[in-house]
Amino acid sequence: MIGQYGRFDRQKFERDFRKGFYGIEACLLKTEEDVRALKDAAAEHSFQIGVHFPLRDNGRVIRDALVMSTDAGRRREAFGLIQTELDELMRLELRPAYILFHYPKPIILDDRVNWSSWHFSDRLEYVYESDYSLDVFLERTEALFQWLTAQSEQYGFTPVLEFDALNKYVYASDALEGLLRKYRAIRLCLDTGRLYLQERKDPSFQSVPLMRKYAKFAHVIHLWNLQYGDGFVRLRYPVLPEQHHADGWAPIAEYLNVIREENPDVLFQFEHRSELVGDEELQRCYRWVSDMLSVGHDG
């Protein structure tokens, strides 16, 4: 898959999309014309559409639905925003194969970690673990899973939750795995750059074990690379085999090996900035990922 964010970029589509790709993940489109262009391209080229909530740029400071807020009124508002989106997608006859939401929202932050370089749009986007118990986390997660399961049955889409910054409730407990087994309609998105960034910021977090723990529940992988030294060196870079972990790059080959072993049918959305490389390198990115995922590849 490729992404289209902010607008339907015809030039990006013609350069990045390949015959046989599953589809396009769209987010924050500005105009009705962008939506129409996406819909027309899907019909012409017979691909699926994934929606990264929200489909349209609604001008809100916080784009995500704060469905696990500590404030009951904000939770009601958040579920209402999603419901409005579902009704709008029905009106547009877009019929997305999946709809993706960031999770958990608000993000639950480990009090021990310095999160100063993590991007937040607003203070309401996060809460500290010391103010948010595991029991409350599981109660609100289950309520979310129940609601999304019902909506998925009514509207015909796969609900996908993309991990944002994570605390030990997710990576050091089996409780979330239990809920994912109970509510099988709910699937995950694992973002390679985001996971690696947390590993560099959080000494308690390891990205490869997290990938191993949750890959079996994934529906989509957001694939891009990040080079990190004393700070950010390169962001949203296409993955290539010469990007070595010793030079500050994410261990993409390890991630791909885990995914091949745990869930080879997962979708890959190339969430990179393809303009950072030439046409030959972009094709080499696609080919390397395909080769890494092939049965019998030894890594």
Side-chain angles (χ1 to χ4, degrees):
M1 302 186 71
I2 68 168
Q4 291 278 22
Y5 300 111
R7 64 189 180 95
F8 185 82
D9 186 333
R10 175 63 64 174
Q11 184 176 358
K12 176 180 174 63
F13 172 70
E14 292 176 352
R15 179 174 186 254
D16 294 5
F17 199 80
R18 298 290 186 274
K19 184 179 180 180
F21 273 23
Y22 179 83
I24 287 178
E25 184 178 292
C27 180
L28 293 172
L29 300 183
K30 301 289 187 186
T31 68
E32 289 279 353
E33 288 72 25
D34 289 312
V35 176
R36 190 177 305 113
L38 172 65
K39 186 177 176 181
D40 290 347
E44 179 182 353
H45 298 276
S46 300
F47 64 73
Q48 298 291 321
I49 295 170
V51 168
H52 187 310
F53 180 87
L55 173 67
R56 293 289 305 275
D57 185 352
N58 53 27
R60 294 171 60 88
V61 173
I62 304 175
R63 77 176 195 184
D64 295 310
L66 303 180
V67 290
M68 296 177 65
S69 173
T70 56
D71 181 270
R74 289 199 182 97
R75 290 199 302 277
R76 286 192 297 272
E77 178 186 21
F79 282 103
L81 288 172
I82 297 174
Q83 185 64 61
T84 299
E85 175 100 340
L86 294 176
D87 293 336
E88 176 69 2
L89 292 171
M90 181 73 72
R91 181 188 70 81
L92 294 168
E93 298 183 337
L94 211 57
R95 299 183 180 89
Y98 69 83
I99 304 176
L100 181 151
F101 309 91
H102 285 170
Y103 168 89
K105 280 289 175 154
I107 303 167
I108 303 170
L109 299 179
D110 188 325
D111 298 70
R112 301 169 296 177
V113 178
N114 179 2
W115 297 100
S116 59
S117 62
W118 203 271
H119 174 72
F120 300 107
S121 299
D122 190 275
R123 177 63 181 85
L124 294 175
E125 276 200 284
Y126 63 90
V127 63
Y128 285 99
E129 183 184 306
S130 56
D131 298 320
Y132 205 109
S133 72
L134 174 61
D135 287 344
V136 171
F137 168 75
L138 294 175
E139 175 187 337
R140 290 183 184 155
T141 292
E142 183 156 23
L144 173 63
F145 283 15
Q146 288 175 341
W147 189 82
L148 282 177
T149 296
Q151 303 309 306
S152 71
E153 292 169 354
Q154 179 179 349
Y155 291 89
F157 69 95
T158 297
V160 177
L161 301 180
E162 179 183 354
F163 281 154
D164 210 303
L166 302 172
N167 77 331
K168 64 176 180 286
Y169 299 163
V170 173
Y171 64 75
S173 165
D174 295 333
L176 180 59
E177 290 177 87
L179 289 175
L180 288 166
R181 289 190 177 95
K182 181 177 179 181
Y183 297 93
R184 294 185 177 274
I186 307 299
R187 307 299 288 172
L188 298 178
C189 171
L190 304 175
D191 183 295
T192 58
R194 193 188 301 268
L195 292 176
Y196 178 58
L197 176 59
Q198 180 164 349
E199 180 175 296
R200 296 301 303 262
K201 300 292 294 179
D202 181 353
S204 299
F205 179 81
Q206 294 180 299
S207 59
V208 173
L210 188 283
M211 186 74 72
R212 177 76 65 181
K213 185 178 179 72
Y214 287 106
K216 64 181 73 68
F217 302 107
H219 188 68
V220 184
I221 304 296
H222 280 174
L223 188 63
W224 57 282
N225 211 345
L226 161 71
Q227 188 179 30
Y228 197 90
D230 294 331
F232 296 116
V233 180
R234 291 176 179 167
L235 282 169
R236 299 282 174 194
Y237 210 84
V239 300
L240 292 165
E242 62 268 24
Q243 295 163 343
H244 299 299
H245 193 39
D247 297 325
W249 293 98
I252 298 296
E254 286 188 75
Y255 296 162
L256 294 176
N257 283 333
V258 169
I259 292 162
R260 188 185 70 247
E261 294 165 7
E262 298 288 343
N263 189 358
D265 296 324
V266 74
L267 298 172
F268 282 85
Q269 201 270 92
F270 289 93
E271 203 184 43
H272 54 215
R273 291 178 56 199
S274 61
E275 72 274 13
L276 295 176
V277 298
D279 291 346
E280 186 276 333
E281 283 184 301
L282 180 61
Q283 184 59 28
R284 198 155 54 87
C285 163
Y286 292 160
R287 186 170 60 247
W288 181 61
V289 172
S290 179
D291 290 346
M292 286 292 294
L293 296 170
S294 64
V295 176
H297 196 283
D298 61 6

